[in-house]
Amino acid sequence: KLNMTINGLPVEISAGKTILEAAEEQGLKIPTLCHHKDLCVAGNCRVCVVEVTGQNRLSAACATPCEEGMEILTNSLKVRNSRKQIIELLLAEHNADCTKCYRNGNCELQTLASEYKIMTQDFLELVPLKNYTIDAFSPSIIKDDSKCIKCQRCVRTCAELQGVNALTVAHKGDQMKITTFFEKAMRDIVCTNCGQCVNHCPTSALVEKNYIEEVWEAIANPNKHVVVQTAPAVRVGLGEELGLKPGKRVTGQMVAALKRLGFDSVLDTDFTADLTIIEEGTELLTRLKKVLVEKDESVTLPMATSCSPGWIKYIEHMYPEHLENLSTCKSPQQMFGALVKTYYANARNLEPENIVSVSIMPCTAKKYEAFRPEMHDSGYRDVDYVLTTRELAILIKQAGLDFNKLEPVKYDRLMGESSGAAVIFGATGGVMEAALRTAYEIVTGREVPFENLNITPVRGIDGIREASIKIENPVKEWAFLDGVELKCAIAHGLVNAKTVMDSVRAGTADYHFIEFMACPGGCLGGGGQPIPTNPEIRQKRSEAIYAEDEGLLIRKSHENPEIKKLYKDFLKEPLGEVSHHLLHTQYTK
Ligand code: HC1
């Protein structure tokens, strides 16, 4: 422990902490802009300056380690005036047209300007705002350089969390800017559309491309039947955007709100998450048979999950020779879209061209995924508009709904029923756990004992996790798997995907099945989730996801009655002809 004083009060601080962390421990807030708990220390915005007695300069609290005997002032006149000047300078370079800004009301710079009452315009003419670029070509992300404060959180996010390095710093001095390879549009570079840069940006220099007006117009059109699906992780994030604490599950209220907004049918992506498990599980078992029994060398293992569109874009760019490892399953979002304009349209006697298919996702890459040329197998665009969790909250606010007063309501039927296995798709390891619950029963013919339904080895927050299950006494059809140790791995955050894929490329990975999710924590930490997102918040959302699973009566995908009905009435069998046409795809180099 170190003995120090903060603002004249003696304190004991554990060694190794920064001044920022020490102050936080004492309940003192020091403002920051470039600092983020997910990222390495940068110390480049200087908003967190403090006085350390005996030093004749101010120190950045985020980048200064505590030392024995330090006397720190976090709120002296000198500190306050310096911070104020720094904020004024940032504002002078910033397009501070706050009322027209997408992040109006949730902007860290705006909050600081308000707290420090920046009323003067001393530096307004210092750096005339001109020659900036707004890149709106991507279907997922808008990059507006006029809003950038050059804190470089996006650059560090793209490098440290995702290992993609799509964004970088170019030029020096007042020419310095955050840009891309050869200043190309985000659409044309290695950007995976994951939106982690959006989640970590303190202002609106990076935001999602929103489709709010398009969805309102569809709802208002009496000739359109507007169907909405909601992703697993939205239900544990949405509340934060509407004033509730992280970790609050709002499934029923969210469904109620969507009905009040005027959607004709409120359905669940979890339904097709269950379907994914049946299709993907069957695909895995088929691949195992081909490799282990038929010695078919054209079949590739390990099989990798394919539901995270940021991960798909990443493997396309970085490991194109391994596209064969991807499961051919489309993501649950896209399976849903393809079924809505075929199975659902038939059952409801609707013309598919009159259906508008909207999805609410915790993800910005899902917007890109819906635009992909592969995603038209219904004969139409399978998913028309993708809104993030944040955009849904905007719809709810615009409609004037008092979210907390809404009585929980159930999803509509036909593609609205789901299992606990589907809900946990939203957390890292969830797809693997859901798959194992079903695969175990298919292969052994025995039920997973209730007390073993939580497959804890695949849970957790470590970036890469491994688990194996020894198969014993399988049923006759799967007898070749007797004694086989099924080896699985899980990676979340693309920087971890890189490590696993490097071992696949090197031939040193002996896994059979790998779950990849582009975002830290899985979809619950997606780029479309409420801002801020940090490790503590992700942990709360994760607990909420697993609690939702535990509270459901059906916790295995193959027990979902609507899935059984779908196979009976429409698909006939997993990996069958209809499935092949609507639910599977192949990504090409
Ligand atoms: Fe996800 Fe998925 S879990 S990818 O993380 O497989 O976005 O939530 O919707 O499609 O179901 C996201 C979440 C989501 C798909 C499912």
Side-chain angles (χ1 to χ4, degrees):
K1 292 271 180 191
L2 303 171
N3 295 298
M4 321 178 347
T5 68
I6 301 185
N7 299 338
L9 295 173
V11 290
E12 268 197 347
I13 302 294
S14 319
K17 297 239 153 143
T18 62
I19 293 178
L20 183 71
E21 290 164 336
E24 195 179 86
E25 212 173 275
Q26 301 301 314
L28 280 170
K29 184 183 151 205
I30 295 177
T32 56
L33 281 172
C34 68
H35 182 76
H36 194 287
K37 283 185 177 164
D38 278 338
L39 305 174
C40 77
V41 169
N44 56 19
C45 78
R46 316 309 284 182
V47 173
C48 67
V49 286
V50 293
E51 259 191 275
V52 179
T53 332
Q55 294 182 355
N56 58 2
R57 58 179 167 81
L58 295 170
S59 302
C62 71
T64 310
C66 292
E67 286 174 21
E68 178 67 24
M70 247 182 185
E71 294 173 17
I72 298 157
L73 298 174
T74 69
N75 186 36
S76 66
L77 195 58
K78 197 168 161 189
V79 164
R80 267 201 319 277
N81 285 340
S82 298
R83 282 189 196 150
K84 224 172 152 171
Q85 271 199 354
I86 291 164
I87 299 166
E88 279 177 33
L89 279 165
L90 286 171
L91 284 171
E93 273 193 300
H94 178 81
N95 173 1
D97 206 348
C98 294
T99 51
K100 290 192 207 148
C101 179
Y102 192 62
R103 288 279 298 265
N104 184 10
N106 181 9
C107 165
E108 294 178 45
L109 181 61
Q110 186 187 43
T111 304
L112 277 186
S114 166
E115 283 175 7
Y116 280 77
K117 293 290 162 243
I118 310 294
M119 317 294 283
T120 54
Q121 299 189 333
D122 293 349
F123 301 111
L124 199 59
E125 298 303 322
L126 195 68
V127 189
L129 195 64
K130 58 183 179 193
N131 290 339
Y132 59 80
T133 309
I134 300 177
D135 170 6
F137 288 116
S138 154
S140 299
I141 295 171
I142 296 176
K143 178 172 175 286
D144 178 351
D145 291 349
S146 77
K147 309 278 178 58
C148 179
I149 57 168
K150 304 175 183 73
C151 67
Q152 300 171 37
R153 274 197 204 165
C154 56
V155 176
R156 282 174 287 144
T157 298
C158 201
E160 293 168 23
L161 299 184
Q162 303 299 63
V164 172
N165 296 294
L167 294 166
T168 188
V169 178
H171 310 300
K172 287 184 178 168
D174 66 355
Q175 299 298 309
M176 186 266 220
K177 65 196 275 194
I178 307 301
T179 188
T180 56
F181 180 71
F182 276 104
E183 306 205 359
K184 289 184 177 219
M186 298 274 276
R187 182 191 59 184
D188 300 329
I189 56 165
V190 291
C191 169
T192 65
N193 300 289
C194 73
Q196 287 301 314
C197 56
V198 172
N199 259 2
H200 290 82
C201 178
T203 67
S204 64
L206 289 150
V207 293
E208 70 258 27
K209 183 173 271 185
N210 83 77
Y211 296 87
I212 292 170
E213 291 311 321
E214 287 83 347
V215 170
W216 277 135
E217 271 178 35
I219 289 173
N221 185 340
N223 300 319
K224 296 289 180 193
H225 179 91
V226 190
V227 177
V228 65
Q229 55 166 314
T230 63
V234 174
R235 64 208 73 198
V236 298
L238 179 65
E240 290 164 39
E241 205 67 17
L242 296 163
L244 301 174
K245 289 219 167 85
K248 182 89 181 105
R249 286 180 281 146
V250 295
T251 316
Q253 287 106 309
M254 174 181 71
V255 175
L258 288 164
K259 287 182 181 245
R260 297 274 192 102
L261 294 178
F263 288 100
D264 294 298
S265 199
V266 181
L267 303 173
D268 203 352
T269 317
D270 290 19
F271 167 79
T272 34
D274 279 332
L275 180 60
T276 300
I277 289 302
I278 310 297
E279 292 287 326
E280 200 166 270
T282 311
E283 185 185 354
L284 176 65
L285 293 172
T286 308
R287 283 199 195 202
L288 286 170
K289 191 175 203 167
K290 287 196 170 152
V291 171
L292 300 176
V293 181
E294 298 165 19
K295 309 289 178 206
D296 184 342
E297 287 181 4
S298 68
V299 175
T300 314
L301 285 177
M303 189 176 90
T305 58
S306 54
C307 46
S308 163
W311 149 245
I312 298 286
K313 185 115 186 301
Y314 181 77
I315 188 173
E316 286 181 308
H317 282 301
M318 309 294 189
Y319 300 90
E321 74 279 21
H322 284 288
L323 289 172
E324 295 280 310
N325 289 86
L326 285 177
S327 158
T328 59
C329 286
K330 288 183 187 168
S331 75
Q333 165 178 274
Q334 293 306 139
M335 285 193 184
F336 194 101
L339 288 176
V340 152
K341 295 194 180 178
T342 52
Y343 171 63
Y344 176 91
N346 282 341
R348 288 286 160 94
N349 211 9
L350 293 162
E351 292 300 330
E353 62 263 35
N354 291 335
I355 294 179
V356 178
S357 152
V358 177
S359 59
I360 313 291
M361 293 283 139
C363 175
T364 48
K366 289 279 172 198
K367 292 173 187 275
Y368 155 78
E369 182 183 43
F371 271 92
R372 289 189 67 120
E374 298 89 347
M375 304 302 171
H376 288 73
D377 287 332
S378 64
Y380 304 86
R381 196 153 97 198
D382 297 333
V383 175
D384 294 295
Y385 301 114
V386 179
L387 305 185
T388 59
T389 310
R390 297 186 289 264
E391 287 167 83
L392 172 57
I394 294 170
L395 295 190
I396 291 171
K397 287 179 193 166
Q398 288 182 350
L401 298 180
D402 187 342
F403 190 72
N404 291 318
K405 291 211 176 121
L406 294 174
E407 284 297 323
V409 170
K410 286 203 180 324
Y411 283 98
D412 290 320
R413 278 298 167 252
L414 203 65
M415 303 176 59
E417 185 148 9
S418 63
S419 74
V423 174
I424 59 175
F425 262 57
T428 165
V431 180
M432 181 64 69
E433 182 167 347
L436 292 177
R437 286 181 194 175
T438 288
Y440 178 89
E441 296 203 357
I442 291 177
V443 170
T444 66
R446 300 187 294 275
E447 214 175 306
V448 181
F450 183 76
E451 61 281 9
N452 292 347
L453 270 178
N454 294 349
I455 307 176
T456 46
V458 301
R459 296 188 181 183
I461 50 157
D462 289 347
I464 298 170
R465 306 189 295 287
E466 294 177 336
S468 63
I469 290 188
K470 189 159 183 190
I471 299 172
E472 283 166 340
N473 302 323
V475 292
K476 200 163 149 232
E477 188 185 353
W478 306 109
F480 69 93
L481 287 173
D482 200 12
V484 169
E485 187 110 357
L486 191 70
K487 291 190 179 166
C488 309
I490 293 142
H492 60 118
L494 291 172
V495 77
N496 297 310
K498 179 179 186 315
T499 306
V500 173
M501 282 310 296
D502 282 346
S503 68
V504 171
R505 181 180 266 168
T508 54
D510 61 350
Y511 311 117
H512 298 104
F513 189 31
I514 313 177
E515 177 199 297
F516 289 101
M517 285 289 173
C519 293
C523 289
L524 57 87
Q529 286 287 64
I531 301 170
T533 298
N534 60 40
E536 292 91 61
I537 290 174
R538 287 195 290 272
Q539 179 59 31
K540 293 255 172 5
R541 292 178 192 158
S542 169
E543 287 162 14
I545 286 241
Y546 288 113
E548 181 100 343
D549 166 39
E550 295 224 11
L552 290 170
L553 283 176
I554 298 175
R555 296 181 63 195
K556 291 173 260 178
S557 297
H558 57 285
E559 291 181 355
N560 179 341
E562 283 205 321
I563 293 289
K564 291 181 188 169
K565 181 176 162 53
L566 172 69
Y567 277 108
K568 184 168 154 287
D569 295 351
F570 188 68
L571 296 175
K572 306 303 176 199
E573 56 173 346
L575 299 189
E577 204 184 316
V578 188
S579 293
H580 183 74
H581 174 59
L582 289 178
L583 311 180
H584 292 258
T585 191
Q586 214 127 23
Y587 298 104
T588 47
K589 282 185 203 173

